[in-house]
Amino acid sequence: MQVRRANEKDISAIMGLLKQVNNVHNAGRADLFIKDKTKYTEDELAEILKDDRSPVFVCEDETGAILGHGFCVYEHASGNNIVERDTLYIDDICVSENARRQGVGEALYRHIKAFAKDEGFYNLTLNVWSLNKGAAKFYEKMGLKPYKVGMEEIL
């Protein structure tokens, strides 16, 4: 298993993973997520892959099959009342349904963490939907701790 920066040859595999992520969210929040859709189009994904401020990583097996991905975004915080800092936001980590519990998510997370340290980021952040208990448990196992909670009331 190897984690590397994604490239245009990976688009088809990443699109399949994006659909899996979306369908997990659709299963829990069909009022927000449309079944079998993806967050990005292939063209949008191609542009993301070209942008050094939004690195995407893939984990592949020894045959070159893509087992998972990690989307990241550079963020910079500044303001009157906060300490200025650079954050690497993990927009999405997905492990293929047929590769779960094989260390793929951990390999992706550890690679992203090492990348963030090497690039001098202050911290890593991400959001996890409350419906995705397995993901929350995984992220806590990786050492992440909640730092804010989003709340809603459906009208």
Side-chain angles (χ1 to χ4, degrees), residues 14-20 22-23 34-42 44:
I14 293 170
M15 293 299 291
L17 291 168
L18 286 169
K19 187 181 285 188
Q20 287 183 32
N22 182 75
N23 286 345
I34 303 168
K35 187 170 178 57
D36 294 328
K37 295 290 187 174
T38 57
K39 186 174 185 173
Y40 307 110
T41 66
E42 288 188 10
E44 290 169 333

Side-chain angles (χ1 to χ4, degrees), residues 66-91:
I66 303 300
L67 306 174
H69 71 238
F71 280 72
C72 302
V73 178
Y74 286 38
E75 293 183 342
H76 180 78
S78 64
N80 246 7
N81 67 333
I82 59 173
V83 176
E84 192 166 342
R85 67 192 173 282
D86 291 320
T87 294
L88 187 63
Y89 173 70
I90 300 173
D91 186 42

Side-chain angles (χ1 to χ4, degrees), residues 7-52:
N7 60 56
E8 285 197 18
K9 291 182 283 183
D10 302 318
I11 288 177
S12 179
I14 293 170
M15 293 299 291
L17 291 168
L18 286 169
K19 187 181 285 188
Q20 287 183 32
V21 168
N22 182 75
N23 286 345
V24 166
H25 294 144
N26 167 263
R29 290 297 306 262
D31 61 318
L32 299 177
F33 295 93
I34 303 168
K35 187 170 178 57
D36 294 328
K37 295 290 187 174
T38 57
K39 186 174 185 173
Y40 307 110
T41 66
E42 288 188 10
D43 290 340
E44 290 169 333
L45 180 53
E47 289 303 310
I48 290 168
L49 294 178
K50 293 176 190 173
D51 185 353
D52 282 337

Side-chain angles (χ1 to χ4, degrees), residues 75 87-91 123-127 144 147:
E75 293 183 342
T87 294
L88 187 63
Y89 173 70
I90 300 173
D91 186 42
N123 61 345
L124 288 172
T125 63
L126 57 82
N127 294 322
L144 289 139
Y147 75 106

Side-chain angles (χ1 to χ4, degrees), residues 20-29 92-95 100-101 126-140:
Q20 287 183 32
V21 168
N22 182 75
N23 286 345
V24 166
H25 294 144
N26 167 263
R29 290 297 306 262
D92 190 26
I93 288 181
C94 176
V95 175
R100 295 198 179 136
R101 292 179 180 53
L126 57 82
N127 294 322
V128 61
W129 287 85
S130 60
L131 63 96
N132 199 342
K133 307 277 188 230
K137 186 175 178 181
F138 167 76
Y139 293 130
E140 288 175 2

